[in-house]
Amino acid sequence: MDQLSAMQTFRRVVDLGSFSAAAHQAGVSHTVLSRHVKHLERHLGTQLLNRTTRRLQMTEAGALFYRHCTRILEQMQAMNLELSEHQQQPSGTLRLGVATAFGELELGHWLPDFVGRHERLQVELHCSDRFIDLLEEDIDVCLRVTDHLPDSSLVARRLADSEVLLVAAPGYLERHGTPTTPDALAAHPLLGYSRLPHPQRLQLTGPAGERRELLMPQRLSANSPMALRAAAIGGLGIASFDRFIAHDALRDGRLVPVLADWSLPSRTVYAVYPQSRYVAPKVRALLDYVQAYYAEQRWQH
């Protein structure tokens, strides 16, 4: 018999005034409860109750133990209630990992609403373009835009497709001409993302399903998609971006599509989180929110 159960038994016997009443309430025999209290007395090395045929009376040690029992059991009850409420409502600190471009361009559209719905929740944002280890860096959820997820113990929930397209500033195309075929791209510089294995290589699929792979000269490389975006808007060359990176600039005309009939391999937006039998309410709340948010097409042509 564990000590917590023993304390609950002792308190019940004292509160009800007899072993018989306590046994009836607990649904066990009088003998079982009497044996539990005797084991408790042997464990503590002192007598807690004076037993007579008519009544039970606490000893001085029993009264002291009863006061401690009452306080401890009430604290346990309060703790269980608080934990139960904590599990039902998202609360605490949610550590969210995102790529820098996604953080700068996307979170402002939905994160304020998400946080506003959960007043007991604080968000700790980790922006990085490297492939972080969620377990090592204690990240609850990471939103990743990728064409490949390595095998791991992580769970990945697919949120949306992320189209990749070629873009350039209208001023650049006016000065250097607009390529109308893949071969014509060889005369134009590509603004390359240096974290890719082959920043200058493009794989294109045509409207009839034909495929071309080509290398473009490189005028600028950078490890930041946002820096490349600024360079493309500034007219330094042609760039390939996920549509969410170029979306607002395409909408207001700072960038325009290049070879719109040809497509690049698309990528996928995932919510990635550590595998566990128990998913914390704060994590579940975020997963459900972003799943619903990105179920709608957010980056219209």
Side-chain angles (χ1 to χ4, degrees):
M1 182 182 187
D2 64 79
Q3 192 162 353
L4 180 61
S5 296
M7 288 192 299
Q8 292 170 331
T9 296
F10 177 76
R11 184 186 181 188
R12 182 180 292 116
V13 169
V14 172
D15 288 347
L16 296 177
S18 74
F19 281 99
S20 297
H24 177 74
Q25 187 185 76
V28 298
S29 70
H30 174 288
T31 304
V32 168
L33 288 195
S34 180
R35 185 167 61 247
H36 286 174
V37 173
K38 287 179 181 179
H39 287 168
L40 180 60
E41 289 175 327
R42 282 199 297 269
H43 174 73
L44 296 172
T46 187
Q47 186 173 348
L48 300 175
L49 295 172
N50 288 320
R51 302 162 177 84
T52 68
T53 55
R54 293 186 178 182
R55 56 179 289 190
L56 291 175
Q57 184 176 7
M58 286 187 291
T59 64
E60 185 178 351
L64 176 63
F65 185 71
Y66 178 81
R67 289 197 298 273
H68 285 293
C69 275
T70 301
R71 186 176 69 253
I72 291 170
L73 292 173
E74 287 177 353
Q75 288 175 342
M76 289 289 295
Q77 184 179 20
M79 179 191 71
N80 289 333
L81 179 61
E82 185 175 349
L83 285 175
S84 176
E85 292 176 349
H86 177 82
Q87 299 307 327
Q88 294 171 8
Q89 299 182 36
S91 60
T93 300
L94 175 70
R95 295 174 178 84
L96 174 62
V98 295
T100 53
F102 197 88
E104 291 186 38
L105 297 172
E106 278 297 298
L107 295 191
H109 297 304
W110 57 262
L111 189 59
D113 179 63
F114 172 74
V115 173
R117 296 185 184 196
H118 305 290
E119 295 180 353
R120 299 172 59 185
L121 188 65
Q122 299 84 44
V123 176
E124 187 177 297
L125 195 59
H126 296 257
C127 296
S128 175
D129 288 327
R130 59 188 177 84
F131 211 72
I132 60 176
D133 186 321
L134 272 66
L135 296 175
E136 183 177 329
E137 303 195 29
D138 197 24
I139 302 296
D140 294 308
V141 184
C142 188
L143 302 182
R144 287 178 174 163
V145 186
T146 181
D147 57 3
H148 173 69
L149 283 175
D151 293 334
S152 71
S153 60
L154 301 176
V155 180
R157 184 184 292 194
R158 182 188 172 280
L159 301 180
D161 291 327
S162 181
E163 180 189 9
V164 180
L165 64 163
L166 291 173
V167 297
Y172 170 84
L173 297 176
E174 289 173 7
R175 292 192 302 272
H176 301 282
T178 300
T180 57
T181 66
D183 290 335
L185 288 173
H188 295 267
L190 179 70
L191 308 179
Y193 183 48
S194 60
R195 290 184 178 273
L196 294 175
H198 306 287
Q200 296 171 263
R201 181 178 297 172
L202 291 180
Q203 294 178 322
L204 297 168
T205 301
E210 64 272 37
R211 295 188 176 182
R212 294 290 308 275
E213 183 170 312
L214 60 139
L215 293 176
M216 293 174 63
Q218 188 168 265
R219 174 172 295 171
L220 172 72
S221 66
N223 64 356
S224 164
M226 295 302 290
L228 292 175
R229 180 179 185 270
I233 292 172
L236 282 183
I238 295 173
S240 65
F241 291 131
D242 289 90
R243 183 174 283 275
F244 76 86
I245 294 178
H247 172 62
D248 62 337
L250 287 167
R251 187 173 53 194
D252 63 24
R254 287 175 294 164
L255 293 174
V256 295
V258 174
L259 289 182
D261 290 339
W262 290 75
S263 63
L264 294 163
S266 66
R267 307 204 301 165
T268 304
V269 184
Y270 293 100
V272 183
Y273 56 100
Q275 188 171 22
S276 173
R277 293 174 60 187
Y278 166 74
V279 179
K282 61 183 179 181
V283 173
R284 191 183 309 113
L286 179 74
L287 294 174
D288 291 345
Y289 186 95
V290 293
Q291 183 90 68
Y293 181 84
Y294 287 108
E296 299 181 26
Q297 176 59 51
R298 295 294 172 177
W299 310 302
Q300 296 294 336
H301 292 225

